[in-house]
Amino acid sequence: MISRRSLLEAAAVLTGARFTAPRWLVTPDEAKAQELNLSADLPEGARAEAVLDALPGKKPLIKLTYRPPNYETPVEYLRTDVTPNDAFFVRYHLSDIPDVDAKTWQLAIGGDGANGETRLGLDDLKQLPPTEVVAVCQCAGNRRGLMQPHVIGVEWGNGAMGCARWKGVRLKDLLDRVGLKRETVEIVLDGADSGASDKTPDFVKSIPLWKALDESTLVAYEMNGEPLPHWNGYPARIVVPGWTGTYWMKQVVSISAVSKPFDGFWMKSAYRIPRGKFPLIDRFISQETDVNTPITEIVVNSLITSLSAGQKIPLGSPVNVTGVAWDGGYGIARVDVSTDNGRTWNQAALGQDLGRFSFRSFIYSVTPAARGPLVVTARATNKAGSTQTTDLIFNPPGYHNNVEQRIAIDIV
């Protein structure tokens, strides 16, 4: 259909001008996408359905689904090394999320791979030696909605992640209380949430024994110096720094040592990636098959938080490119920024280091010498030598999207 917009776009092409839609041509969906800073790469349906909505105790977040709740953190709350609790993203697989009473909540620890069993309440946990870690929690499907071609799943943009200071008890200290048999291979984790139907597979995960015994793996009861928010796992959750959020069990009620690989739905059928497709170091060998393997560590990535697509900056003003970088716990070595669509690169300055699992802020400033379009690109490299990819590593579940971010702005 010929429209006023299409005629203006065609005229811009013929004259070599850059087309910018006047306000009277911007549709309501386009206006909303601009307000929410939604990427044009998201599926049209996701852009149309996304709205700002506030869950109890949360700031308005980008609602993608309500049952179960999946809410994305807007980019403006990701401009600091630590993400505020009330702006932290929300990710659930099951729709029945109980309001847990901390006074009656108990954590059961045992299993056939344990020499004994015990139950601990929240006050019991707080009597044990505490530890803290600053770590990124990121959904495995972060940026799924930006993949081309699009794949099935929650169509996350850039905000299915956050970084917090987690305080709790080492998981290994709890396992020491029951003792482990030599046959133990995995630790199984279960939470209090459940599905709308008894036919819905319970969300139960496992981690390899060696990861459970890592000094940084916690049962956390505090987040940024406060009790965990309800939507982020109150009263206690598993924290697995460096690994994707699928293992960070919220409202944890059961920890079981097992002598055989756990074969629940969310392990054997979900959250799996093709073997050998990603440059990963951490492996979950007891769960691997000939063709696929469980997703484990977070791949190196970065996010520009100071600019948005189509933003206009006056000629002579500096373009400050700021953002955060993160990875699976090897630490960020450098972030490079390009302002000519990837032809040349300049090293950005890194901010404070809160630990190898945390966000690492970066900044690079340039003052363009001419008017016109400018494509800004960021690329992070970690201390293990891995760098963000230029081209998408496609996989059907839509995991590990760490393509270099490109933002086109206008110098006017």
Side-chain angles (χ1 to χ4, degrees):
M1 177 185 295
I2 298 176
S3 64
R4 287 177 293 177
R5 183 189 184 104
S6 63
L7 288 173
L8 287 170
E9 288 176 334
V13 172
L14 290 173
T15 61
R18 182 178 178 84
F19 173 72
T20 302
R23 289 188 177 183
W24 53 269
L25 273 181
V26 176
T27 68
D29 283 347
E30 288 172 334
K32 181 178 68 173
Q34 292 172 6
E35 178 190 1
L36 301 184
N37 198 14
L38 299 178
S39 171
D41 292 331
L42 286 169
E44 184 176 342
R47 286 162 58 87
E49 293 296 325
V51 295
L52 280 178
D53 184 57
L55 292 165
K58 291 285 189 180
K59 292 181 182 294
L61 306 179
I62 302 171
K63 183 181 77 171
L64 300 179
T65 66
Y66 184 69
R67 285 182 61 84
N70 289 296
Y71 284 63
E72 180 173 331
T73 299
V75 170
E76 58 262 32
Y77 297 120
L78 297 172
R79 290 173 178 156
T80 56
D81 292 331
V82 173
T83 312
N85 287 5
D86 57 4
F88 215 89
F89 84 106
V90 176
R91 169 62 167 137
Y92 273 89
H93 299 79
L94 307 180
S95 58
D96 187 0
I97 305 163
D99 287 314
V100 177
D101 184 350
K103 295 179 180 179
T104 59
W105 172 85
Q106 286 195 323
L107 176 61
I109 308 169
D112 71 87
N115 290 317
E117 58 183 34
T118 189
R119 287 181 173 271
L120 298 173
L122 185 59
D123 288 340
D124 298 323
L125 287 183
K126 293 181 177 181
Q127 296 302 313
L128 300 175
T131 189
E132 292 188 3
V133 62
V134 181
V136 173
C137 178
Q138 176 187 272
C139 177
N142 193 34
R143 299 188 181 177
R144 176 186 289 121
L146 308 183
M147 296 180 71
Q148 298 287 345
H150 295 304
V151 297
I152 296 173
V154 179
E155 301 296 344
W156 297 107
N158 291 299
M161 64 172 185
C163 183
R165 184 180 298 276
W166 310 93
K167 179 180 178 180
V169 180
R170 293 183 183 89
L171 178 54
K172 68 182 296 293
D173 292 344
L174 298 183
L175 295 173
D176 284 345
R177 295 174 72 91
V178 296
L180 298 178
K181 299 177 181 177
R182 295 180 60 183
E183 298 82 11
T184 299
V185 293
E186 295 177 11
I187 303 299
V188 177
L189 312 165
D190 192 9
D193 55 338
S194 59
S197 162
D198 57 6
K199 295 181 180 179
T200 303
D202 192 14
F203 187 70
V204 183
K205 298 290 293 188
S206 67
I207 56 176
L209 178 61
W210 66 266
K211 190 64 176 176
L213 298 180
D214 189 285
E215 293 287 331
S216 63
T217 303
L218 307 180
V219 176
Y221 47 76
E222 283 188 11
M223 180 177 172
N224 294 329
E226 299 176 351
L228 293 170
H230 166 71
W231 303 105
N232 298 111
Y234 181 83
R237 74 176 300 167
I238 302 296
V239 169
V240 191
W243 280 30
T244 58
T246 183
Y247 300 102
W248 294 47
M249 185 64 64
K250 296 178 287 292
Q251 297 182 320
V252 61
V253 294
S254 172
I255 298 173
S256 301
V258 295
S259 56
K260 295 180 181 179
F262 178 64
D263 65 352
F265 170 82
W266 296 100
M267 289 303 303
K268 69 178 182 181
S269 302
Y271 288 97
R272 305 187 74 89
I273 55 177
R275 285 189 63 175
K277 204 157 191 179
F278 296 93
L280 303 178
I281 297 174
D282 282 358
R283 293 173 59 188
F284 197 161
I285 294 176
S286 60
Q287 289 284 345
E288 288 185 352
T289 71
D290 292 337
V291 296
N292 60 35
T293 183
I295 193 169
T296 55
E297 65 190 52
I298 299 169
V299 294
V300 63
N301 219 330
S302 66
L303 175 67
I304 298 170
T305 60
S306 59
L307 302 173
S308 58
Q311 183 175 340
K312 299 182 188 304
I313 297 178
L315 180 66
S317 298
V319 176
N320 294 314
V321 184
T322 62
V324 291
W326 66 99
D327 78 329
Y330 304 102
I332 297 300
R334 60 186 292 156
V335 176
D336 295 294
V337 174
S338 170
T339 56
D340 55 10
N341 205 20
R343 289 190 292 274
T344 61
W345 297 86
N346 294 279
Q347 188 169 350
L350 297 180
Q352 63 177 332
D353 187 353
L354 297 180
R356 61 193 180 99
F357 299 111
S358 70
F359 279 158
R360 190 77 185 273
S361 61
F362 65 86
I363 181 170
Y364 174 77
S365 184
V366 61
T367 302
R371 291 182 172 87
L374 194 72
V375 179
V376 180
T377 312
R379 180 180 67 192
T381 301
N382 70 9
K383 293 179 181 178
S386 292
T387 300
Q388 286 181 252
T389 61
T390 302
D391 299 311
L392 177 71
I393 302 176
F394 181 80
N395 59 103
Y399 300 144
H400 283 331
N401 183 348
N402 71 331
V403 174
E404 300 162 354
Q405 185 187 18
R406 296 175 179 85
I407 298 180
I409 62 175
D410 286 315
I411 307 301
V412 297

